[in-house]
Amino acid sequence: MSLCVVRSRTLLGLHAHPVCVEVHLANGLPGFNLVGLADTEVKEARERVRSAIQNAGLEWPHSKRITVNLAPADLPKDSGRFDLPIAIGILAASGQMDPSALTHHEFAGELSLSGALRPVRGALAMSLALRLHAPDGCHSDTRLVLPPGSAEEAALAQGIRVFRASHLTDVVHRFPPPGSPAIEPMNDADWSEVRAQRPDAHETGLAYDLADVRGQAGARRALEIAAAGRHSLLLSGPPGSGKSMLARRLPGILPPMDDQEAIEAATVSSLAGQFDLSRWAQRPYCAPHHTASATALVGGGNPPRPGEISLAHQGVLFLDELPEFSRVALEALREPLETGQVRISRAARQTEFPARFQLVGAMNPCPCGYLGSSVKACRCTPDQITRYQNKLSGPLLDRIDLHVEVPLMPPTELLDSQPGEPSQTVRARALAARERAMARQGCPNQALEGDTLKQHAALTPEAEQLLKTVANRLGWSGRGTHRAMRVARTIADLAGAERVSSIHLAEAVQYRQPNVG
């Protein structure tokens, strides 16, 4: 048989679309042609596949004209994931494998020149897509064959049969030509079915414990409110006041991830090639340098890849030295903060990535950092201070729920202070408050909007009058008023209150700057 079809998948955003790798061997001038909108990485498979087949002791069809078509032709294909299906198609079309036995399988893997298989990114997205939508003509029991590392990742999507192959010959031996017996592998590492084994999530608060933070009661309280309601947070204070230290400890007090959140976060990190099984169900923490571009933050490229805001999905995005980021990069955060997703549009197609992250920004009050400090005098002029603070636009600040001052503690007071509450204690309170919100409305307080906000963040008459007075006097926008209500609802949940009283609202008002809506 000179024609063989092998199934695989290509990645476009979070979606793994089915691809048919069609291999045809014909008489004529020997050659190797690869078509189907393949990028440079895929086209280089011609050399890798030829060397892998020969070095694995298999026969290369020297006298044949080889044509490989990656269908559909209008779907972009990238990376070395098609090395394995191309090699299998050539071997099956040349009679060295059984084409009919490949029907209920999908293959992906990069080949080394020796024939060893290397992991590919997006394995979890492949298994999720296979579980949701089996390709046309495939049996519902379609199996994935992947390299070591990728197979364990794909098995996290329960309900899919995943097989691990370490070498090209391991795959060839499992699908011998008709009449030839299958060769059993030397050990289970060469070919085995991978079971879904999800490691227990480690306590992220152990490495960065909130007890290490001395003093800063106001900032610690704001951190607890942010964890309970999934609110964004801006820390402002002089250098060395502990802003970065506080931000690094937020993941340790966040509620544990449920199964759906863990799958979503793992899928995004898999697309970026950063998946680590040992960090399963741990909240992501991303802290890009302030020189990061807008594309690095929100994602992009061709084909589009997830940016830092998507890598921080279901976790924390910490932007230190917030005013030092480019204006374009910061303004690109405005829509994802509202919608929880980012849509990257190109001329040919559009791609969506999830971006439901908690933003924690840190900034100095002025260029020198000591404006308002009782320890060191500020040496900035009023114009310098104004230009520095104006680097953050009003619409961006309007989307940050909590604005907190972090004062610089004198060394003597810092050394004499006692350790604060540990992360586990604070996390228990934040978890209890989050569970109250989820039982009441099915989502964190930060996601409340419209009629659901009025229903579940109902104010007492005194609190409603206070909100009207404050909003009119400070000139708040509708967005700023609603965000204050959400924060007040979280404060009430931490207190175990059914309704939002004036005490809860008064504390929430303190976390919004007077010049911010």
Side-chain angles (χ1 to χ4, degrees), residues 321-351:
E321 304 296 342
L322 190 62
E324 300 300 333
F325 283 82
S326 71
R327 181 78 174 224
V328 175
L330 291 179
E331 295 305 304
L333 298 177
R334 286 160 53 176
E335 290 184 9
L337 280 171
E338 288 285 341
T339 63
Q341 64 181 9
V342 57
R343 184 179 181 88
I344 301 174
S345 298
R346 296 293 181 263
R349 61 188 69 249
Q350 293 78 38
T351 303

Side-chain angles (χ1 to χ4, degrees), residues 500-516:
V500 180
S501 68
S502 56
I503 297 177
H504 308 135
L505 184 62
E507 183 179 357
V509 169
Q510 298 177 18
Y511 296 120
R512 295 203 66 80
Q513 295 180 355
N515 60 340
V516 176

Side-chain angles (χ1 to χ4, degrees), residues 272-450:
Q274 301 178 11
F275 179 77
D276 183 0
L277 186 60
S278 64
R279 293 190 56 81
W280 167 258
Q282 293 187 22
R283 297 280 181 182
Y285 178 84
C286 297
H289 193 262
H290 62 261
T291 57
S293 65
T295 302
L297 282 180
V298 304
N302 189 21
R305 299 283 185 91
E308 293 287 343
I309 63 174
S310 295
L311 294 175
H313 180 61
Q314 302 296 354
V316 176
L317 175 68
F318 176 50
L319 301 183
D320 200 5
E321 304 296 342
L322 190 62
E324 300 300 333
F325 283 82
S326 71
R327 181 78 174 224
V328 175
L330 291 179
E331 295 305 304
L333 298 177
R334 286 160 53 176
E335 290 184 9
L337 280 171
E338 288 285 341
T339 63
Q341 64 181 9
V342 57
R343 184 179 181 88
I344 301 174
S345 298
R346 296 293 181 263
R349 61 188 69 249
Q350 293 78 38
T351 303
E352 289 187 0
F353 292 109
R356 192 168 292 109
F357 59 93
Q358 281 188 250
L359 174 65
V360 179
M363 61 177 291
N364 299 324
C366 65
C368 78
Y370 293 100
L371 178 65
S373 174
S374 60
V375 178
K376 191 173 181 179
C378 173
R379 60 177 185 270
C380 301
T381 65
D383 288 343
Q384 290 175 325
I385 296 173
T386 301
R387 284 196 301 270
Y388 180 79
Q389 295 180 348
N390 286 342
K391 290 182 178 180
L392 302 180
S393 67
L396 176 61
L397 291 174
D398 196 21
R399 288 168 167 81
I400 300 179
D401 297 331
L402 305 170
H403 301 254
V404 183
E405 296 288 337
V406 185
L408 183 64
M409 296 179 61
T412 54
E413 182 179 346
L414 180 65
L415 294 174
D416 293 340
S417 61
Q418 298 297 320
E421 287 182 304
S423 291
Q424 290 182 345
T425 302
V426 179
R427 185 188 193 187
R429 291 199 299 266
L431 177 59
R434 179 76 69 91
E435 289 177 343
R436 292 189 188 100
M438 298 300 291
R440 180 179 60 246
Q441 66 224 12
C443 66
N445 293 325
Q446 186 273 338
L448 288 174
E449 58 184 16

Side-chain angles (χ1 to χ4, degrees), residues 108 200 268 270 369 457 514:
D200 295 332
V268 176
S270 172

Side-chain angles (χ1 to χ4, degrees), residues 62-114:
H62 292 280
S63 62
K64 298 293 184 180
R65 182 175 182 84
I66 304 173
T67 302
V68 177
N69 178 40
L70 306 178
D74 63 340
L75 202 63
K77 292 90 178 177
D78 70 318
S79 79
R81 67 179 59 254
F82 297 105
D83 290 4
L84 179 59
I86 290 173
I88 291 175
I90 293 174
L91 294 172
S94 61
Q96 302 177 66
M97 296 179 65
D98 184 7
S100 62
L102 306 175
T103 305
H104 297 161
H105 295 78
E106 287 189 3
F107 301 85
E110 180 181 334
L111 283 171
S112 69
L113 299 184
S114 65

Side-chain angles (χ1 to χ4, degrees), residues 33-54:
N33 298 316
L34 200 156
V35 297
L37 203 57
D39 70 357
T40 303
E41 293 173 312
V42 180
K43 292 179 180 178
E44 290 174 348
R46 292 177 293 193
E47 306 305 323
R48 291 192 297 269
V49 169
R50 179 186 289 109
S51 298
I53 289 178
Q54 292 177 336

Side-chain angles (χ1 to χ4, degrees), residues 66-332:
I66 304 173
T67 302
V68 177
N69 178 40
L70 306 178
D74 63 340
L75 202 63
K77 292 90 178 177
D78 70 318
S79 79
R81 67 179 59 254
F82 297 105
D83 290 4
L84 179 59
I86 290 173
I88 291 175
I90 293 174
L91 294 172
S94 61
Q96 302 177 66
M97 296 179 65
D98 184 7
S100 62
L102 306 175
T103 305
H104 297 161
H105 295 78
E106 287 189 3
F107 301 85
E110 180 181 334
L111 283 171
S112 69
L113 299 184
S114 65
L117 289 174
R118 292 171 175 162
V120 295
R121 62 181 184 88
L124 183 54
M126 293 178 63
S127 58
L128 289 174
L130 184 60
R131 186 174 68 179
L132 293 175
H133 305 289
D136 294 338
C138 273
H139 192 267
S140 58
D141 192 30
T142 300
R143 302 158 188 176
L144 276 177
V145 180
L146 297 169
S150 297
E152 289 78 5
E153 175 186 326
L156 293 173
Q158 297 177 347
I160 297 298
R161 298 191 65 184
V162 181
F163 289 84
R164 175 181 53 226
S166 302
H167 197 275
L168 176 60
T169 54
D170 300 331
V171 183
V172 175
H173 292 163
R174 298 301 298 183
F175 304 97
S180 301
I183 301 176
E184 293 297 327
M186 296 296 295
N187 54 69
D188 291 340
D190 295 333
W191 178 278
S192 60
E193 184 172 359
V194 181
R195 304 295 182 183
Q197 295 182 349
R198 300 178 176 180
D200 295 332
H202 304 294
E203 290 292 340
T204 56
L206 295 179
Y208 299 96
D209 201 299
L210 202 56
D212 300 332
V213 180
R214 304 297 180 97
Q216 304 295 0
R220 291 172 59 96
R221 171 65 173 173
L223 213 65
E224 182 177 343
I225 295 172
R230 207 175 70 188
H231 300 290
S232 52
L233 175 67
L234 176 61
L235 303 172
S236 177
S241 58
K243 303 184 294 295
S244 301
M245 190 176 186
L246 285 162
R248 191 63 186 88
R249 280 148 181 79
L250 177 57
I253 63 174
L254 291 176
M257 302 176 75
D258 59 29
D259 185 71
Q260 182 62 30
E261 291 176 338
I263 285 288
E264 291 178 1
T267 303
V268 176
S269 62
S270 172
L271 290 177
Q274 301 178 11
F275 179 77
D276 183 0
L277 186 60
S278 64
R279 293 190 56 81
W280 167 258
Q282 293 187 22
R283 297 280 181 182
Y285 178 84
C286 297
H289 193 262
H290 62 261
T291 57
S293 65
T295 302
L297 282 180
V298 304
N302 189 21
R305 299 283 185 91
E308 293 287 343
I309 63 174
S310 295
L311 294 175
H313 180 61
Q314 302 296 354
V316 176
L317 175 68
F318 176 50
L319 301 183
D320 200 5
E321 304 296 342
L322 190 62
E324 300 300 333
F325 283 82
S326 71
R327 181 78 174 224
V328 175
L330 291 179
E331 295 305 304

